[in-house]
Amino acid sequence: MVDKIKKRGTVINSKRSKDKKQNMVSLEKVKIENSILLEESETPRRKWIQLIVLIFVSGIVISLGIYYRWDKLLIGIGVFLFGLVAQGWASLVSLLGGIPIIGNVIVKFLALPFLFLINAIGNFLSFLAIKMGYKREIMDAKLLAWVFAGGLLIGFIIGAIL
């Protein structure tokens, strides 16, 4: 028999309320499992994208090496070391990013000086090129970079909206 509990003038079936609680708990478990599966499904995709980018960069380096007739052993070692260092750096940054609360701040502090360094090198090379008389080419390159950055930003915004 199902026992009945009287609460505030109404009769509540205790078995039904237990079933509802169990259903709520199982629903929460399903939501957690689905989120874990979603996170796991994104990881292989990111690995493939990283692999494709690495293969593309390696292809460019190998093509330049063949064009300028570099030693094949040097090209192979260079591509291997670049891949090793890039994967090691990505692993270190992801481990640091996993630290609760302060991990994201550490990753940002590691990434910003690298971006500032790249920007400084670009500005210095632009300054030298302008002094050497390549003013028009530098203007075209800077404009092209701004167009690509704007397109990237617009694509990111549209992707986030969709």
Side-chain angles (χ1 to χ4, degrees), residues 25 48 53 58 88 95 104 113 125 134-135:
V25 170
W48 278 105
V53 168
S58 300
L95 280 174
N104 291 334
L125 291 177
Y134 294 102
K135 185 182 265 187

Side-chain angles (χ1 to χ4, degrees), residues 157-162:
I157 291 170
I158 291 173
I161 291 172
L162 297 178

Side-chain angles (χ1 to χ4, degrees), residues 122 125-126 129-130 134-149:
L125 291 177
S126 295
I130 289 171
Y134 294 102
K135 185 182 265 187
R136 182 70 186 157
E137 288 82 4
I138 294 297
M139 293 288 289
D140 291 342
K142 292 281 185 180
L143 179 65
L144 186 63
W146 275 104
V147 168
F148 280 138

